[in-house]
Every structure is written in structure tokens, then in C-alpha cells.
Amino acid sequence: MHISGEFTTPGSGTALAALADRTDDLKAVATLNDVSTGPDGSVHALFSPVTPFGRLELRTRIRAERADAAGAVLTVHAVRAQHAIDVRIELGFVPVEGGSRVTWSADLTLRGPAASVGQRVAREVAGRAIAEVLQGAAALA
């Protein structure tokens, strides 16, 4: 499933890219709890987005494949019981007056019983959750 979005933020592309190495700062993102750095440098967290079904807690690993002033590529693996979600997110950072316009594009794969959720519902929930965590992180830049 492919989803995308965009938003503006006061941070520069360089400051946004630096978030990949600022695990401790990511603890301030409202939807991330128990944030730590894995042995491979990835971010491990309990991601808790609000969904129409209530708050959904997912054990999550986020790895930055690339992060620079022009954008970033992130891979995300999240699990909850027998459900798994894999996401590849490509971010673009474009300078605008007062900050940056962040564009994002995500390819999302659901596995387990979650895969049977209707595409429309999954698309809306995932789009909202991804936008929420990206905007929360960007506010720290």
C-alpha cells in the first residue's frame, strides 16, 4: 500500500536529518515511548498512535538508511502480537521561508491478521499515524 503526505516545519533540512542521531530527543514525541538505541544504531520504541479502535501499541524499530539536508529514507518494522507492519518511508526536505516543506511517501506492508483489515481503513489509520509521528519529530529539529 502506498501513502503520502506533506507538512511544513520551522526546522532546516540539516536539522531534520540530524534527528536520525538524536534518539534521546525523540523521547519528546508524544506517540513514542520507551525510546532507546539498538546495537545497530536503529531507534527502538513503543509507538502508540491513536486509531479509531483506540490507542494501538506497536514495538517498533526505525532505521535510517540515509539522512541528509535533502531528505531521508527510513525503514520501519513494527509488531504487536501476531501482527507485523513494514514501512519504507522516503522524505524530502525543501527549504521554504521560515523552515522546510517535508514531503513523505511510504510503502506499507501489513502481515498477519492485520492484513485482512480493509485497505481503506488501513490506509487512513497508517497515513494519520505516520503523519503524526513525523510532525512530532520534525517539531524537535
Side-chain angles (χ1 to χ4, degrees):
M1 165 184 340
H2 185 78
I3 51 180
S4 60
E6 68 177 59
F7 60 92
T8 57
T9 185
S12 69
T14 301
L16 292 165
L19 289 170
D21 296 323
R22 293 176 36 204
T23 304
D24 284 341
D25 292 342
L26 294 175
K27 293 175 182 177
V29 176
T31 56
L32 297 178
N33 295 301
D34 302 331
V35 179
S36 64
T37 303
D40 62 353
S42 62
V43 174
H44 293 245
L46 182 63
F47 178 47
S48 303
V50 176
T51 73
F53 314 109
R55 191 165 289 279
L56 181 66
E57 295 183 336
L58 300 160
R59 271 286 150 214
T60 304
R61 179 180 49 86
I62 305 165
R63 189 169 58 86
E65 291 183 4
R66 177 183 66 83
D68 57 39
V73 176
L74 308 174
T75 56
V76 180
H77 178 73
V79 296
R80 178 186 170 108
Q82 68 274 32
H83 309 285
I85 303 167
D86 290 304
V87 187
R88 179 179 170 84
I89 304 172
E90 294 187 22
L91 299 152
F93 309 142
V94 178
V96 296
E97 187 173 328
S100 299
R101 180 172 50 91
V102 177
T103 58
W104 61 270
S105 175
D107 287 313
L108 179 105
T109 303
L110 300 171
R111 292 185 173 75
S116 65
V117 174
Q119 291 293 319
R120 186 175 145 268
V121 173
R123 181 180 308 280
E124 289 175 23
V125 169
R128 193 173 325 116
I130 291 169
E132 184 178 7
V133 75
L134 289 177
Q135 290 175 15
L140 303 173

